[in-house]
Amino acid sequence: MLKYLFFLSFFYDLCIASEPISPIPQTVEYDKAKALLGKKLFFDTALSRDNTVCCNSCHVLREGGADENQVSVGVEGRKGNIQSPTVYNARYNFKQFWNGRARNLKEQASGPMNNPHEQDMNPQLIEKRLNASKIYRNLFKKIYHTTRISYNEVINAIVEFEKILITPNAKFDRYLRGEVKLSQQEEKGYALFKQYGCITCHNGINIGGNSFQKMGTFFPYKTKADYPDRAKVTGLKRYKNVFKVPTLRNIALTSPYFHDGSAKTLLQAVQRMSHFNLGVEIPKKDAKDIVAFLKTLTGVKPKILDK
Amino acid sequence: MLNKKVISIIALFGFFSFSVLVYFYFVQRDFTKNQREFVTNLDTLDNYNSDITSELLKNALYAYNSQDTIAHEYDLMQNQLRKLENSNILQHAAYASIKNSIDKSIKNRVNTFLGEIQDFLLLNAAVKNSVVFLSVHVENALTLKKEDRGIYIDAVKILDSFKDTKKTQDLDYIRHMHYLLHSDSKDKRTQKFIKIFNLHSTYLMKKFPDFISVTKKVLNNKIGKLLNEERENFNHIALHDFQFLDLFAFIVFVLLCIYFIFLIYLLIKYYKTHTKFIKAANSLQYSLTHDSLTGLYNRSMFEKDKKELDKPAILLANIDSFKEVNDVYGNDFGNSILKDMSKVMQTYFSSISGTKMYRMGGDEFAVLFENRSSQDVFEIAKKLEYLIANKSCEIDTIEVNVSVSVATNTVKPLLENADFALKLVKKDITQRVLEYNKSLAVKENWKNNIETINIIKSALKEDRVVPYFQAIVNLQTLKIEKYEALVRIVLPSKEVLSPFFFLEIAAKTQYYYEITKVMITKTIQMAKERNACRFSINFSMKDIINEEIISILFALFDANRDVASRIDIELLETEAVVVDDERINRFLEKVHSYGSKVLIDDFGTGYSNFSYFSSLDIDVVKIDASIVSEILTDEKKLHMLKSIHNFTIGMGMQNVAEFVESRELALSLKELGIEYAQGYYFSKPLPKPLDYDTVTL
């Protein structure tokens, strides 16, 4: 116990002194050639069985890295079973997918490609398709020094691209670094965000994405469909409706909200979250202030998208 | 000596112990590495556990806190568990029990713990949010109607109990608490305040037992204890391995010790052998370069040193009459003289820088000088000779006067030239020290020894050894009565070689007798052809004692009895062979028995003396050229001639004057009454006797 006390006294100052939210770094190290190849793949519909969808179909980079539809549409118009989470800043999520079944980006990237409702491919088919292309063969040969493209290299390139899909320099990050001031409303929104307890789950670099929480902690959240939740991964009933806490970065760009896409606006989302998870009916004025704060979380998209 | 078997056994043993050592090294390295890996994995997991626990505690205590660290450490712990499970050492059968308990209890415990963390985070968020919310909400009681504000006190009390419970993790604070507010007020705001408060307090009452239970579970997760137990179990098993390693190390140590003892044994053995060898080599080296008797350097050292000198000069010293001393006093005495002499000379040369002294063999010593002028060396040589000549040597109370002949030389070939000069010194008793110079060289002949022998050999083989005949004239009748057969070699080029060029060399070889044989045969042949004259053949003392020559001579005489009486024998006087008179007399008697006559050659010079005539039966005396040629100019010689003439007449012998080269001389000799003469005035030696038998004066 003494050890814990020691740790406590040590961290006490730190935690009081620093904000529970940290800014996204300005730059990250990456392999440019691989990332550009990954970008090409990210936008290539050849990675779906009927050549209709690509990664970008559901993670629309020019918007919030997510899908404006309640659920995404895969090959042959098949519908997905959950709202598409944003690909931006995904590298800072502790797990991938809503229920955290993938431990990292590499595991995640394979998911949609092999999902019959999404891209409906398999590694062999992907290899066959890409190896048929002279352009890809040359690109992979240049970068991976192989004559035959392998599935692992495809995933590797996509992951390398996803690694740089970060959105630094959001107004709030710049505020944290002391570069700008928030407006009165935004500042109040942030205070309320903390006071109401939103911060309890939405904290860290991604303002979320670092823990699982139950949708409907306080009041049970009624769902229409059977969503792939944490219970599906662990096999434990008490994890019913438990999902990864989603990131709030670029939240203004990624409506609709929640795993079921049921909240169309931020205001709606804030109010419903505080009801179900905090047991609090937030006054509309406070909710608007919080929304104003949330809008400061929109960052600058990476330059690689310009090329 | 070192046995090959022993060496190979030791080498094999060394190889074996080294292999064991290498094997031991790898075994202990693997074990140590695996052991460390496992302990590190265990410790790291323990550390992560502590870290994440403290993070969770922090998360429970603080109103708001980033959970990134928890997420990160959660991940680390999951990975670390996998690492621990895959520790290399667990593959070994001895650690099966550890593997088992890790796979079961620890893995389960950690996974349960990780699950509990999820539960904790869920409940913590819920409890924390409601407590925070209530903390804010109670303030609203102060805005209620005045009469309803009393509810604030109750609300704060309840809230404090919740806070205390959260802080102390002790349910006792709330177990029997009335956690619901109640008011009979009709005020809507009051009732709404109460409703919201009760909603959360009910919620908290419901969540707190689970929250506290899971918090306790998380904070007292017992993982540390389990890991400690496993660490102890592991150490216990590892101790066995360490003991085994200890034993192994001990065995390796013992093996190496034995090997080193072997090696030391070998080294000592080797050292001893080596020392013996060095000693033997040294003494061998010494004997190769030193003379064993005098301790001086020997001839081979001389040859070596000679080559290394830039401008060498040599001094050769030879003890005079050493052979005679040796013969008279014995070898031991001779050796003592050699030792004495070498000491004297060593002392002398030790005061002269740049000299090195050698015993060249027998009674000959050499000294090499570096960078000395030939005059210097010659002066040194003269002093040496003088020093020794004036010093007597006393050995075993016998006093001997020793003298040396010395030659010096600076002209290459160094030793040969010096040798040549020394031989000249030996020949001339008046000359004790001589420096070689080119004018001394009749030396070409010496050099040509081998060549000369080859000439003789081929001449004999190809029948080119022939007698030349020189007429001997009766001075009173002027008739040619006799011929002297003189040996010649006809070269393939038809050039005729006189004995001056080959006989001395031939005398040292067996060819000498061959030549004598040829002369006998061919002269007898000639005597057959020319039956009016007598012929004389030269015989040396050497020939007389050679049984083969003698038997050939007499065999030929027997075969040609009619001729034999006309063949005379001319005895040459040589110093080399001393033949006893008895033997000579037997020979002379036999010669006489054929009617042959015996002549003494070159009388009046060298070793000739009158004593011969008392014991030997001599018929004719040939007076030496050194007397004859000078009677016209030298009174003494004339007198000598007359004496010899009178003596021979008195002894009933005939005489012959040699080397008559002028009419004047021939006339004088005739006048003096000399009976015979030979020489160029009458005829030089020719391949055949002359066609005429009378000469004129």
Side-chain angles (χ1 to χ4, degrees):
Chain A
M1 246 358 236
L2 263 174
K3 197 152 89 175
Y4 297 154
L5 287 174
F6 171 76
F7 272 121
L8 271 179
S9 63
F10 179 69
F11 283 112
Y12 188 80
D13 299 273
L14 273 178
C15 291
I16 297 305
S18 68
E19 292 292 341
I21 296 171
S22 43
I24 286 177
Q26 308 268 30
T27 55
V28 286
E29 275 183 23
Y30 70 106
D31 184 318
K32 194 170 182 183
K34 283 185 186 177
L36 283 170
L37 175 61
K39 181 186 171 191
K40 189 173 167 60
L41 291 163
F42 195 88
F43 284 93
D44 197 335
T45 53
L47 295 183
S48 65
R49 187 174 286 275
D50 60 359
N51 291 299
T52 55
V53 294
C54 62
C55 303
N56 191 63
S57 303
C58 309
H59 302 285
V60 187
L61 294 179
R62 95 186 110 77
E63 291 170 11
D67 193 346
E68 59 183 16
N69 298 305
Q70 198 159 9
V71 288
S72 297
V73 177
V75 290
E76 292 168 3
R78 291 174 200 161
K79 288 197 169 179
N81 57 0
I82 204 155
Q83 221 284 318
S84 161
T86 179
V87 72
Y88 281 120
N89 305 310
R91 64 176 290 167
Y92 298 119
N93 288 339
F94 81 131
K95 299 268 162 30
Q96 305 300 335
F97 294 121
W98 275 100
N99 59 9
R101 63 182 183 275
R103 295 188 64 205
N104 48 45
L105 289 175
K106 193 180 155 195
E107 279 179 38
Q108 187 279 333
S110 274
M113 281 201 278
N114 295 289
N115 188 329
H117 287 271
E118 300 182 27
Q119 283 157 288
D120 192 22
M121 297 290 275
N122 58 54
Q124 292 75 27
L125 195 54
I126 289 171
E127 285 176 359
K128 199 179 157 192
R129 282 244 181 113
L130 294 181
N131 277 308
S133 152
K134 199 177 174 185
I135 297 171
Y136 274 119
R137 278 208 313 273
N138 284 339
L139 280 171
F140 276 86
K141 192 178 177 183
K142 226 191 217 167
I143 295 163
Y144 292 98
H145 312 291
T146 49
T147 46
R148 197 183 166 279
I149 301 165
S150 79
Y151 180 68
N152 274 342
E153 289 152 8
V154 175
I155 297 295
N156 181 276
I158 293 174
V159 167
E160 196 64 28
F161 173 61
E162 288 179 345
K163 274 190 194 167
I164 57 162
L165 293 180
I166 58 168
T167 59
N169 299 316
K171 188 177 183 186
F172 187 70
D173 282 356
R174 299 182 68 201
Y175 158 75
L176 288 176
R177 291 200 299 263
E179 290 167 13
V180 292
K181 280 190 174 170
L182 294 182
S183 72
Q184 232 176 353
Q185 192 191 15
E186 289 161 349
E187 210 162 349
K188 187 156 182 242
Y190 179 42
L192 290 170
F193 186 80
K194 290 192 275 193
Q195 280 170 23
Y196 279 116
C198 311
I199 197 75
T200 308
C201 300
H202 293 283
N203 53 46
I205 190 167
N206 246 1
I207 320 164
N210 58 12
S211 68
F212 294 113
Q213 271 301 341
K214 187 165 184 158
M215 186 64 178
T217 304
F218 206 92
F219 295 115
Y221 184 83
K222 298 265 167 37
T223 47
K224 293 165 200 159
D226 185 22
Y227 287 98
D229 54 13
R230 195 69 193 145
K232 292 266 187 319
V233 181
T234 59
L236 298 171
K237 256 189 185 171
R238 65 172 186 276
Y239 293 140
K240 183 76 192 154
N241 259 348
V242 170
F243 296 98
K244 179 184 71 185
V245 176
T247 175
L248 294 185
R249 288 198 175 272
N250 305 305
I251 196 70
L253 306 177
T254 59
S255 74
Y257 304 108
F258 307 154
H259 62 283
D260 55 2
S262 58
K264 304 295 176 205
T265 65
L266 270 180
L267 192 65
Q268 218 176 345
V270 169
Q271 286 176 327
R272 290 182 68 186
M273 256 339 264
S274 58
H275 170 74
F276 285 108
N277 274 36
L278 300 173
V280 180
E281 308 305 324
I282 297 182
K284 198 163 188 179
K285 188 185 165 289
D286 285 358
K288 278 186 174 170
D289 289 346
I290 291 174
V291 169
F293 158 68
L294 292 177
K295 284 181 176 170
T296 66
L297 298 175
T298 302
V300 178
K301 286 172 189 167
K303 277 183 186 159
I304 193 165
L305 295 174
D306 303 339
K307 288 167 198 164
Chain B
M1 288 308 283
L2 290 175
N3 194 329
K4 268 190 184 169
K5 232 185 206 170
V6 174
I7 293 178
S8 46
I9 285 172
I10 292 174
L12 264 178
F13 186 81
F15 180 73
F16 171 70
S17 20
F18 186 71
S19 308
V20 172
L21 178 70
V22 169
Y23 180 69
F24 170 75
Y25 169 73
F26 283 113
V27 164
Q28 69 82 27
R29 194 190 64 168
D30 279 1
F31 175 73
T32 315
K33 197 178 136 202
N34 291 341
Q35 197 259 356
R36 205 179 299 133
E37 179 208 41
F38 179 76
V39 173
T40 307
N41 284 343
L42 213 63
D43 289 348
T44 310
L45 186 61
D46 202 3
N47 287 340
Y48 287 154
N49 178 40
S50 301
D51 291 350
I52 201 167
T53 311
S54 75
E55 270 303 310
L56 292 171
L57 193 63
K58 219 165 74 181
N59 202 44
L61 283 174
Y62 295 159
Y64 40 81
N65 178 42
S66 166
Q67 290 164 323
D68 283 359
T69 318
I70 295 172
H72 179 61
E73 278 169 3
Y74 185 97
D75 227 31
L76 286 177
M77 203 162 165
Q78 235 174 356
N79 290 338
Q80 190 58 32
L81 177 66
R82 210 163 301 153
K83 258 188 174 176
L84 180 69
E85 284 176 88
N86 294 331
S87 294
N88 277 322
I89 208 160
L90 298 179
Q91 311 301 320
H92 296 279
Y95 297 90
S97 66
I98 306 279
K99 187 175 165 59
N100 199 38
S101 61
I102 284 173
D103 283 353
K104 288 187 179 150
S105 68
I106 289 184
K107 193 177 171 188
N108 281 343
R109 189 69 208 94
V110 171
N111 282 332
T112 309
F113 173 62
L114 293 174
E116 284 164 359
I117 289 173
Q118 295 300 340
D119 292 338
F120 167 80
L121 288 174
L122 287 174
L123 287 164
N124 182 46
V127 169
K128 192 198 277 181
N129 281 340
S130 285
V131 171
V132 169
F133 175 75
L134 284 185
S135 307
V136 179
H137 185 62
V138 288
E139 302 302 320
N140 291 334
L142 298 174
T143 64
L144 297 177
K145 274 185 174 173
K146 238 184 184 171
E147 59 269 30
D148 291 344
R149 281 183 198 169
I151 208 161
Y152 175 72
I153 309 287
D154 293 338
V156 167
K157 265 187 192 166
I158 294 168
L159 178 61
D160 281 348
S161 299
F162 283 133
K163 283 184 175 172
D164 289 343
T165 307
K166 193 164 179 280
K167 259 186 254 171
T168 59
Q169 297 284 313
D170 189 350
L171 274 178
D172 287 351
Y173 286 89
I174 54 168
R175 190 161 286 151
H176 305 294
M177 184 176 71
H178 294 287
Y179 60 90
L180 294 175
L181 292 179
H182 178 75
S183 170
D184 295 332
S185 169
K186 303 285 182 224
D187 187 77
K188 267 189 183 173
R189 281 187 61 222
T190 303
Q191 285 308 325
K192 195 185 174 191
F193 172 82
I194 290 170
K195 191 188 163 197
I196 291 174
F197 186 92
N198 285 350
L199 190 66
H200 280 272
S201 67
T202 309
Y203 182 75
L204 283 174
M205 284 305 284
K206 194 179 132 203
K207 293 286 174 184
F208 251 120
D210 285 349
F211 172 62
I212 286 171
S213 142
V214 81
T215 307
K216 280 184 176 164
K217 274 188 199 163
V218 165
L219 296 185
N220 302 309
N221 59 45
K222 297 206 174 79
I223 290 176
K225 201 180 150 209
L226 267 180
L227 291 177
N228 265 336
E229 275 170 24
E230 235 34 75
R231 196 180 286 120
E232 266 167 37
N233 286 342
F234 175 78
N235 285 343
H236 187 68
I237 298 172
L239 195 63
H240 282 285
D241 277 351
F242 275 120
Q243 276 166 355
F244 169 71
L245 280 183
D246 263 358
L247 184 69
F248 201 160
F250 179 73
I251 292 169
V252 170
F253 176 73
V254 168
L255 281 177
L256 284 179
C257 276
I258 294 171
Y259 176 59
F260 280 119
I261 288 168
F262 273 152
L263 268 191
I264 289 166
Y265 163 78
L266 268 190
L267 266 178
I268 291 170
K269 206 95 201 250
Y270 168 78
Y271 178 74
K272 279 182 179 167
T273 318
H274 184 70
T275 313
K276 268 188 216 162
F277 172 76
I278 290 288
K279 271 184 192 162
N282 281 342
S283 79
L284 193 66
Q285 185 67 32
Y286 185 84
S287 66
L288 279 177
T289 54
H290 288 75
D291 173 55
S292 58
L293 179 69
T294 59
L296 295 173
Y297 290 113
N298 63 12
R299 189 174 183 130
S300 59
M301 192 64 182
F302 169 84
E303 296 293 349
K304 211 178 125 206
D305 288 347
K306 186 181 71 176
K307 282 176 203 155
E308 283 165 12
L309 292 180
D310 252 356
K311 287 180 186 167
I314 189 177
L315 178 153
L316 268 187
N318 189 290
I319 299 173
D320 293 332
S321 314
F322 181 72
K323 191 176 173 301
E324 283 74 14
V325 174
N326 237 358
D327 288 349
V328 171
Y329 297 102
N331 275 333
D332 288 347
F333 191 87
N335 284 346
S336 298
I337 286 184
L338 286 174
K339 279 196 222 169
D340 243 39
M341 276 303 105
S342 72
K343 264 181 210 153
V344 170
M345 289 169 79
Q346 247 180 322
T347 315
Y348 175 65
F349 285 108
S350 67
S351 63
I352 300 163
S353 64
T355 60
K356 204 165 173 183
M357 192 171 155
Y358 310 84
R359 184 180 171 207
M360 303 297 278
D363 52 351
E364 198 158 293
F365 298 90
V367 177
L368 275 178
F369 297 82
E370 191 169 17
N371 287 328
R372 287 260 180 189
S373 69
S374 56
Q375 292 96 316
D376 263 11
V377 176
F378 187 65
E379 286 308 313
I380 289 167
K382 280 206 286 194
K383 279 183 197 158
L384 175 72
E385 194 278 330
Y386 183 80
L387 177 77
I388 292 172
N390 289 290
K391 200 175 164 116
S392 60
C393 220
E394 196 182 303
I395 291 150
D396 298 338
T397 69
I398 302 167
E399 204 175 287
V400 199
N401 284 316
V402 184
S403 65
V404 285
S405 305
V406 187
T408 64
N409 174 35
T410 53
V411 182
K412 282 183 180 173
L414 209 60
L415 183 60
E416 286 79 352
N417 287 342
D419 230 12
F420 175 71
L422 189 64
K423 285 208 166 75
L424 292 182
V425 176
K426 283 279 176 192
K427 276 187 182 168
D428 185 352
I429 193 129
T430 61
Q431 202 170 20
R432 304 315 311 139
V433 183
L434 180 65
E435 186 191 344
Y436 172 85
N437 60 60
K438 276 189 182 146
S439 61
L440 289 176
V442 189
K443 176 194 162 214
E444 279 307 304
N445 292 339
W446 290 86
K447 214 167 108 187
N448 290 345
N449 266 3
I450 302 287
E451 209 178 302
T452 308
I453 287 170
N454 281 334
I455 288 170
I456 295 166
K457 207 169 134 187
S458 61
L460 280 167
K461 199 176 163 194
E462 292 160 18
D463 195 25
R464 285 188 278 99
V465 176
V466 295
Y468 262 45
F469 302 98
Q470 189 172 35
I472 299 174
V473 178
N474 185 324
L475 277 177
Q476 307 313 316
T477 62
L478 295 182
K479 285 232 162 163
I480 298 168
E481 288 185 6
K482 307 174 183 184
Y483 282 93
E484 182 182 0
L486 295 161
V487 69
R488 293 290 186 273
I489 284 177
V490 183
L491 294 176
S493 62
K494 302 298 169 199
E495 197 190 326
V496 178
L497 221 53
S498 83
F500 172 80
F501 294 103
F502 62 86
L503 204 59
E504 197 176 341
I505 290 163
K508 291 169 185 166
T509 69
Q510 285 300 311
Y511 299 124
Y512 182 80
Y513 304 109
E514 295 293 319
I515 291 170
T516 309
K517 268 190 246 169
V518 170
M519 289 301 288
I520 296 167
T521 318
K522 288 197 173 168
T523 307
I524 287 175
Q525 194 63 41
M526 187 50 71
K528 274 186 186 170
E529 283 172 28
R530 306 295 283 266
N531 48 24
C533 299
R534 299 189 75 81
F535 289 87
S536 60
I537 304 168
N538 288 303
F539 255 57
S540 72
M541 289 301 174
K542 246 172 126 173
D543 292 323
I544 294 174
I545 58 168
N546 187 301
E547 296 292 340
E548 198 193 345
I549 297 283
I550 301 298
S551 62
I552 286 170
L553 174 72
F554 291 128
L556 284 168
F557 272 14
D558 287 336
N560 302 281
R561 279 200 169 268
D562 52 328
V563 187
S565 58
R566 282 191 285 120
I567 304 292
D568 300 333
I569 302 297
E570 280 194 32
L571 284 178
L572 294 168
E573 290 185 280
T574 54
E575 58 165 313
V577 186
V578 180
V579 185
D580 59 90
D581 293 349
E582 189 85 5
R583 201 163 173 183
I584 301 174
N585 265 332
R586 267 208 309 279
F587 172 71
L588 296 183
E589 210 173 294
K590 187 95 187 260
V591 170
H592 281 134
S593 73
Y594 289 96
S596 299
K597 287 178 180 170
V598 177
L599 292 82
I600 284 286
D601 205 2
D602 299 336
F603 187 76
T605 184
Y607 287 78
S608 60
N609 58 59
F610 290 100
S611 67
Y612 276 143
F613 303 105
S614 61
S615 53
L616 301 179
D617 193 1
I618 307 291
D619 303 303
V620 183
V621 171
K622 289 184 91 170
I623 303 162
D624 188 67
S626 61
I627 297 168
V628 175
S629 58
E630 288 176 37
I631 54 163
L632 295 180
T633 52
D634 192 337
E635 278 289 322
K636 285 177 190 166
K637 293 273 166 81
L638 179 62
H639 193 71
M640 280 167 73
L641 182 87
K642 282 178 185 169
S643 302
I644 295 168
H645 177 62
N646 288 337
F647 169 71
T648 52
I649 299 295
M651 292 290 285
M653 296 185 286
Q654 291 180 323
N655 51 43
V656 180
E658 292 179 301
F659 226 71
V660 180
E661 289 188 329
S662 63
R663 182 169 177 267
E664 203 186 352
L665 184 56
L667 283 171
S668 298
L669 291 169
K670 187 180 177 182
E671 211 171 296
L672 287 168
I674 300 296
E675 294 170 281
Y676 292 93
Q678 76 181 94
Y680 273 31
Y681 175 69
F682 301 109
S683 162
K684 54 185 183 184
L686 293 165
K688 282 189 170 177
L690 296 163
D691 294 334
Y692 50 85
D693 59 1
T694 313
V695 294
T696 50
L697 254 179

